[in-house]
Amino acid sequence: LDVRFCDLDDESIESLADAVTCHPSLLSLALHGLDYVGPLASNGFCRLLSQNKILDSLLLHAKPTPGIDLPRGPTGLGKALKENNTLEQLKLENFHVHPADAVELANGLAVNNRLKELLLSTNRIGHVGIKAIGRALRSNTSLESLEIDSTSHVGTSLLARTFRVNTSLDWVQLDVRNSVVSSLDELEQCILYNVSIGAMEFYSDYEDSDEFDCLHDARRLGMRFCDSD
């Protein structure tokens, strides 16, 4: 089920999530362009992940809301991932996932052995969230694809240390805007040490700047460098 430009209120989204929860055959749910995801919808999606035994792909995309301080995104994700053993793809794009939500999600990711693809781009998970996700990926052995924003040089360094020890990731999309040379140096060394990552995409406003010169070895490995657009 793929629905675009979802003009639904919080209660309607919750009702849809509850309907999918008990659906006997639906394998994929994608909702694009959600206007608002409140506590009712968030709880509905967590119930879906905890109770549905069939769905293998869930994509939730909310519209950008610049300058508006939105409430936290879905809570209970960690518990849901611990209980779910069918989902292989989870995409929460611009879904108001805050640091505390990311920490909770990471707790579930650490023990989940089914999820293969996780998208958390354009969420404000901060250093705390990145550190938690990184720690989870040191023990997780199923995740193969990750899209995440590092937010700063501290986040880039934290992710670099994760890439050094993780053995399951094959593809990574990483936004390294605001990173400094030292953190990119560390990132390159960890990429070169990693034995599983086959491809990466870096997004930055500074593709042609000196900051990316330190990743020349990674370039030779076929890593792709893209602008932020």
Side-chain angles (χ1 to χ4, degrees):
L1 178 62
D2 192 322
V3 183
R4 297 181 179 273
F5 307 109
C6 303
D7 187 17
L8 302 173
D9 59 22
D10 195 32
E11 187 174 356
S12 298
I13 299 173
E14 180 192 31
S15 297
L16 176 59
D18 286 339
V20 174
T21 298
C22 57
H23 197 282
S25 60
L26 190 67
L27 297 177
S28 175
L29 174 63
L31 301 178
H32 305 265
L34 293 166
D35 284 319
Y36 172 73
V37 180
L40 294 177
S42 295
N43 291 334
F45 287 125
C46 287
R47 287 195 300 273
L48 188 162
L49 291 178
S50 293
Q51 300 173 22
N52 183 281
K53 305 303 180 184
I54 297 176
L55 199 74
D56 63 19
S57 177
L58 178 62
L59 188 159
L60 304 173
H61 169 264
K63 294 178 181 177
T65 51
I68 300 177
D69 188 17
L70 293 168
R72 282 179 55 183
T75 58
L77 280 173
K79 181 176 182 293
L81 279 181
K82 288 179 181 179
E83 297 174 349
N84 184 284
N85 60 6
T86 62
L87 198 72
E88 295 186 353
Q89 182 185 65
L90 177 61
K91 295 187 175 185
L92 303 174
E93 186 173 6
N94 194 42
F95 207 63
H96 324 312
V97 178
H98 289 206
D101 305 320
V103 171
E104 189 177 1
L105 188 152
N107 291 334
L109 183 63
V111 298
N112 182 287
N113 60 4
R114 184 72 175 186
L115 195 67
K116 294 182 178 180
E117 184 175 353
L118 176 63
L119 186 154
L120 288 175
S121 58
T122 59
N123 286 290
R124 297 175 294 180
I125 66 175
H127 304 333
V128 173
I130 288 176
K131 184 176 182 179
I133 295 294
R135 186 184 300 113
L137 290 177
R138 296 186 182 197
S139 57
N140 178 283
T141 58
S142 66
L143 200 71
E144 299 174 357
S145 176
L146 174 67
E147 296 185 27
I148 195 169
D149 299 339
S150 69
T151 69
S152 72
H153 64 280
V154 176
T156 300
S157 293
L158 291 170
L159 288 171
R161 296 164 197 169
T162 296
F163 298 152
R164 185 176 181 87
V165 298
N166 178 274
T167 58
S168 65
L169 283 172
D170 176 66
W171 187 86
V172 176
Q173 178 179 298
L174 180 61
D175 188 329
V176 292
R177 284 176 290 184
N178 303 316
S179 295
V180 296
V181 171
S182 59
S183 63
L184 293 174
D185 273 331
E186 184 176 10
L187 177 62
E188 181 186 42
Q189 293 306 312
C190 293
I191 292 171
L192 295 175
Y193 188 87
N194 183 282
V195 296
S196 65
I197 295 177
M200 294 185 74
E201 287 188 357
F202 297 92
Y203 283 79
S204 173
D205 289 330
Y206 311 105
E207 179 184 358
D208 296 325
S209 73
D210 292 340
E211 293 182 7
F212 272 81
D213 288 345
C214 64
L215 290 169
H216 60 281
D217 285 334
R219 285 178 185 271
R220 287 199 291 268
L221 290 178
M223 305 301 179
R224 293 183 56 193
F225 293 77
C226 311
D227 59 38
S228 57
D229 296 330

